[in-house]
Every structure is written in C-alpha cells, then in structure tokens.
C-alpha cells in the first residue's frame, strides 16, 4: 500500500511500532483457552484427606436434599437436578490444602509430618474418580518469621507427591510488594533444579490481601508489575477479603466480599490481569450453613451471583454447604447468559442478517460465556448442538480467541 511518507520515516515508525507490538503480544497474550475452575476449596492441613472432595460432596448433597424446598426458590432455571448430578460426580473443581491461616503455627516436626502427608494425600486424591482438576497447597507467607517454614513445607509436599502432578499449584499469601514475586520465581527455578524438574514446572497464585498490593508507596498499582515479574508462572490472583478489609480499617461487622473497599481492590486486580491469561478469584464468606442455614444459603448465593455479574468467575468455598449455592448460582447465571448469547452469536456468525451490530470484542465475550457454560456443566453439548449446530467447539474457540475474523477472511479469499 503506497504512502507519501519518506522511506526513512516509515522504517523508523515500523521499528518502533513492531517493537511495541512484540511487547504487547508478550505481556497480553489474551485469555487463552485454559479451563478456569468455578471455585477453590480450602481445607486445613490437619483435616485434609484423599477422600475430602467426596466427603464434601456427600455433605453438600445431604444439605441440598434437606433444604430442597427452600433452594428451589433460588433456582431460576430449573438447575437443581443438574447441580445434584454435579455434586455426585465431581463436587470440587480446585482444592488447596492450607498451611496458613486455616492451619496456624505448629511445632516444626508437626508441620513437617503434615506437609509430607499432604503430598501423599494429593497424589492419592488425583487417582480417585471425580478428583479435582487442579489442586495444591497454600504456604505461609514470605515475611522473615515465616519464610523458611513456608519453603520447607513446599519442598516436603513435593517430596510427598513424589512427582509434580499436572494441575499442581501453590498459593502465596499476603503479597505486598512486586519484589516478592521475583523471589518466588527464584524459589521455583531453584526447586526445579534441586529436584530435577523441567523448567517452568512450578506455577503459583498470588493472594492479594494487603492495601500495599493495590497502591504502592509511590502511588502506582503494583499488581501489573508483579505479573510482569512472574516469568509467566502466575496462574491466578486470589482475593483475601478479611485481611484486606481489616487492614483498611473496616469494622469486623462490615468486612465482606461486597464492601466497597473489597470491590475497589478486585477491580484493580481485574484490570491489571486483563488479557494476560491470569485468572481472578474472589474470596470467601465466613457465614456457613449452621443454626440458620437458609440465611447462609441466601447470603452465599447472592455473593456468588454478584461476583459472576462483575466478571469474577471463581471464588473460595470454605464449607460443603457453599458447594450447593456455588453451583446453583453458577448454573443459573450461565444458563441465563447463554440464552442471550446464543442468538447473538448465531446472528454474528451469519453476518448477512439485517440488524447485526455486534463487534468482534462482543463476539469474543459472548462466545467465552457459552464456553464457560459448557465447561461448568450449566449447558450440555447436546443442548447447544440442538439449539445452534453452527456454534461448533472450533467456532466458539475461534470467536473467543479473535481468530474468527482471520478464518472468515481466508475462506472469503479462497472462494474468489
């Protein structure tokens, strides 16, 4: 294509912008096609066994059956039967054995034994039917008084596993500065060399629960720099609601996932991680089904629904009862969203239909919604195939990754 710009100017512009393009592709590769779990279950290290997912599922089913009439009032899409099937087959998608706040401080020999046992537990858990697709541990923090203990626990867990399992992650709590992430990367590479593991075997999650992780002393937002320093090992950012709101001075009675201070922190996390392929995970609620299960169900259901509407598709679950409302809210959300997304995608793929105004970015979001609905079980493959046979898995992935326009252009050229 001709231009009147002098050749040396064009060369200079190309050199600058090609470099920018390469950097942007490296930093922001897009959301990718990894399957994000709908939740992470945290179980204290002294209570976790290979049967924990099945036990949580059984308890969740018992609660669902006991309170079926009440839960039916929260079910807006007739999803309770599907939720029940899911709780029977694979109730937990992602699990962490917790050596931090849920476990506390123990004598070194006690935590040594628990860490070795945790590795064996994870290895056994991975072999059971309906096992979580991903799992790992939460270590203690990297502050001076906890650092050595955290690293020893991580290594003992890896020794107990005997080999790093696919899907293994470790969560690092109380991150406050970007430089800590550089240290975590060094820890990963050092353990890989010491244990004879392939490069980039170890991946981690950063738990954002300190105001300093949101606004640094110089006024910058350090999470973006944390991700830049992560050597592509950071899988997700997890929000710690109670530590964060407490550090902000919020009274205990008002500490919650829907507090404005929490919303601000999660929005910063969301923007920093956008298009990087790093997931955002919401925190937990301390309100569990006990003396007033209906209140707990309602509270958790609305918190999950609220998070989904804000684009936080994963959250912590701390009690088997949370599985019921986690899955019910997730199914309701994605079935309703799919009812909207499918006709618009059909129109977009058709292109020739009058009145189609959605843009590629919208098609990307719509197709991502449908893919999430399929992967969490809210919509079955057969349902989608019957309703919209043109929305094949490949078409959805192409739309989700912005490859649809390129494919469409190639097909158009081939037909000329």
């Amino acid at each position: 294509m001709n231009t009147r710009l002098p050749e040396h100017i064009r060369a200079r512009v190309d050199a600058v912008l090609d470099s920018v393009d390469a950097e942007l592709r490296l930093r922001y590769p897009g959301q990718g096609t990894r399957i994000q779990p709908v939740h992470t279950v945290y179980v204290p290290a002294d209570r976790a066994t290979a049967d924990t997912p099945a036990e949580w599922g059984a308890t969740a089913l018992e609660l669902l059956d006991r309170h079926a009439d009440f839960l039916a009032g929260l079910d807006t899409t007739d999803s309770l039967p599907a939720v029940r099937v899911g709780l029977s087959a694979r109730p937990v998608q992602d699990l962490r054995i917790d050596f931090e706040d849920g476990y506390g401080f123990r004598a070194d020999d006690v935590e040594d034994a628990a860490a070795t046992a945790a590795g064996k537990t994870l290895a056994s858990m991975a072999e059971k039917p309906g096992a979580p697709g991903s799992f790992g541990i939460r270590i203690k923090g990297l502050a001076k008084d906890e650092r050595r203990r955290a690293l020893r626990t991580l290594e003992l867990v890896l020794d107990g596993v005997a080999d790093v399992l696919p899907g293994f992650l470790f969560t690092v709590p109380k991150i406050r500065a970007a430089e800590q992430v550089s240290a975590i990367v060094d820890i990963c590479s050092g353990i890989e060399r010491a244990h004879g593991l392939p490069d980039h075997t170890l991946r981690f999650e950063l738990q954002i629960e300190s105001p300093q992780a949101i606004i640094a002393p110089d006024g910058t937002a350090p999470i973006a720099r944390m991700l830049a320093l992560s050597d592509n090992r950071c899988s997700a950012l997890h929000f710690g609601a109670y530590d964060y709101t407490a550090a902000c001075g919020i009274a205990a009675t008002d500490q919650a996932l829907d507090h404005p201070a929490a919303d601000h922190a999660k929005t910063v996390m969301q923007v920093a991680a956008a298009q990087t392929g790093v997931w955002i995970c919401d925190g937990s609620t301390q309100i569990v089904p006990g003396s007033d299960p209906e209140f707990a169900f309602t509270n958790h259901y609305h918190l999950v629904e609220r998070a989904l509407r804000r684009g936080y598709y994963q959250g912590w679950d701390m009690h088997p009862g949370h599985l019921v409302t986690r899955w019910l809210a997730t199914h309701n959300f994605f079935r309703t969203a799919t009812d909207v997304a499918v006709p618009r995608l059909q129109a977009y793929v058709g292109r020739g239909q009058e009145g189609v105004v959605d843009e590629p970015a919208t098609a990307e979001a719509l197709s991502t919604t449908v893919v999430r609905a399929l992967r969490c079980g809210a919509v079955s493959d057969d349902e989608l195939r019957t309703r919209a046979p043109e929305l094949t898995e490949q078409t959805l992935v192409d739309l989700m990754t912005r490859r649809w326009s390129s494919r469409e252009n190639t097909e158009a050229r081939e037909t000329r």
Side-chain angles (χ1 to χ4, degrees), residues 39 50-62 64 80-94 125-133 323 327 331 375-377:
H39 65 174
D51 294 321
T52 292
E55 291 168 353
W56 274 52
T59 301
L61 281 171
E62 191 276 328
L64 186 156
L80 274 176
V83 169
R84 201 181 194 292
V85 170
L87 289 173
S88 301
R90 190 183 185 187
V92 176
Q93 284 202 323
D94 185 40
M125 186 186 299
E127 297 176 353
K128 289 184 173 290
L323 301 185
W327 283 109
H331 276 233
R375 288 174 173 175
C376 77

Side-chain angles (χ1 to χ4, degrees), residues 98-364:
D98 189 17
F99 285 92
E100 206 229 353
D101 286 346
Y103 181 73
F105 291 93
R106 316 284 178 102
D108 280 339
D109 61 331
V110 174
E111 184 160 339
D112 283 353
T116 300
K120 295 176 180 177
T121 291
L122 292 174
S124 297
M125 186 186 299
E127 297 176 353
K128 289 184 173 290
S134 53
F135 35 71
I137 65 170
R138 177 169 68 170
I139 62 175
K140 288 180 170 62
L142 298 179
K144 188 172 183 179
D145 56 342
E146 300 180 21
R147 188 182 310 145
R148 289 186 180 276
R149 178 66 264 177
L151 299 183
R152 178 165 175 78
T153 293
L154 176 59
E155 288 204 80
L156 287 172
V157 169
L158 293 174
D159 288 340
V161 169
D163 191 8
V164 177
L165 299 165
F168 178 86
L169 295 161
F170 68 97
T171 308
V172 186
K174 296 180 173 59
I175 292 295
R176 302 180 69 191
E179 291 75 15
Q180 290 174 305
V181 178
S182 295
I184 298 169
V185 170
D186 286 341
I187 289 166
C188 288
S189 60
I191 289 177
E192 288 165 353
R193 286 195 295 271
H195 289 250
L197 299 172
D199 185 43
H200 274 73
T201 296
L202 292 179
R203 291 175 62 81
F204 55 82
E205 301 160 328
L206 302 176
Q207 193 167 347
I208 306 301
E209 49 188 335
S210 300
Q212 295 77 21
I214 300 299
I215 299 180
D218 62 359
T220 59
I223 293 179
R225 184 160 177 255
M226 291 178 186
L227 297 180
L229 294 172
S230 71
D231 192 30
N232 293 319
R233 294 177 182 265
C234 183
S235 177
L237 302 174
H238 286 229
F239 182 60
Y242 296 102
D243 281 68
Y244 186 86
T245 51
C248 287
I250 309 302
T253 51
D254 292 305
Q255 292 173 7
L257 292 174
D258 56 358
H259 191 282
D263 283 342
H264 172 257
K266 287 182 284 189
T267 300
V268 172
M269 293 164 58
Q270 186 177 43
V271 172
Q275 295 298 303
T276 65
V278 175
W279 296 328
I280 302 298
C281 180
D282 203 3
S284 63
T285 176
Q286 85 280 25
I287 300 172
V288 302
S291 59
D292 191 352
E294 293 184 0
F295 173 75
F297 284 139
T298 302
N299 175 72
H300 187 247
Y301 179 91
H302 288 306
L303 286 173
V304 175
E305 181 184 51
R306 184 179 189 272
L308 290 167
R309 291 180 64 85
R310 283 158 174 74
Y312 314 133
Y313 300 109
Q314 181 181 356
W316 291 9
D317 287 331
M318 309 295 287
H319 184 277
H322 288 160
L323 301 185
V324 179
T325 36
R326 169 74 60 187
W327 283 109
L328 180 56
T330 299
H331 276 233
N332 282 341
F333 175 83
F334 280 111
R335 286 194 70 82
T336 301
T338 301
D339 285 343
V340 174
V342 166
R344 290 174 65 179
L345 284 172
Q346 289 176 300
Y348 183 85
V349 169
R351 284 292 191 174
Q353 300 181 32
E354 185 178 351
V356 176
V357 295
D358 284 330
E359 297 185 357
T362 305
E364 176 187 356

Side-chain angles (χ1 to χ4, degrees), residues 16-93:
V16 170
L17 295 184
D18 286 349
S19 175
V20 170
D21 287 345
E23 180 72 12
L24 289 173
R25 283 194 298 271
L26 178 66
R27 299 295 185 198
Y28 304 101
Q31 61 187 331
T33 57
R34 289 193 302 148
I35 301 174
Q36 183 173 10
V38 303
H39 65 174
T40 300
V41 163
Y42 277 80
V43 183
D46 56 345
R47 292 186 230 161
T49 72
D51 294 321
T52 292
E55 291 168 353
W56 274 52
T59 301
L61 281 171
E62 191 276 328
L63 285 166
L64 186 156
D65 291 339
R66 194 192 323 161
H67 301 282
D69 290 343
F70 175 79
L71 291 165
L74 297 175
D75 184 5
T76 58
T77 59
D78 297 323
S79 289
L80 274 176
V83 169
R84 201 181 194 292
V85 170
L87 289 173
S88 301
R90 190 183 185 187
V92 176
Q93 284 202 323

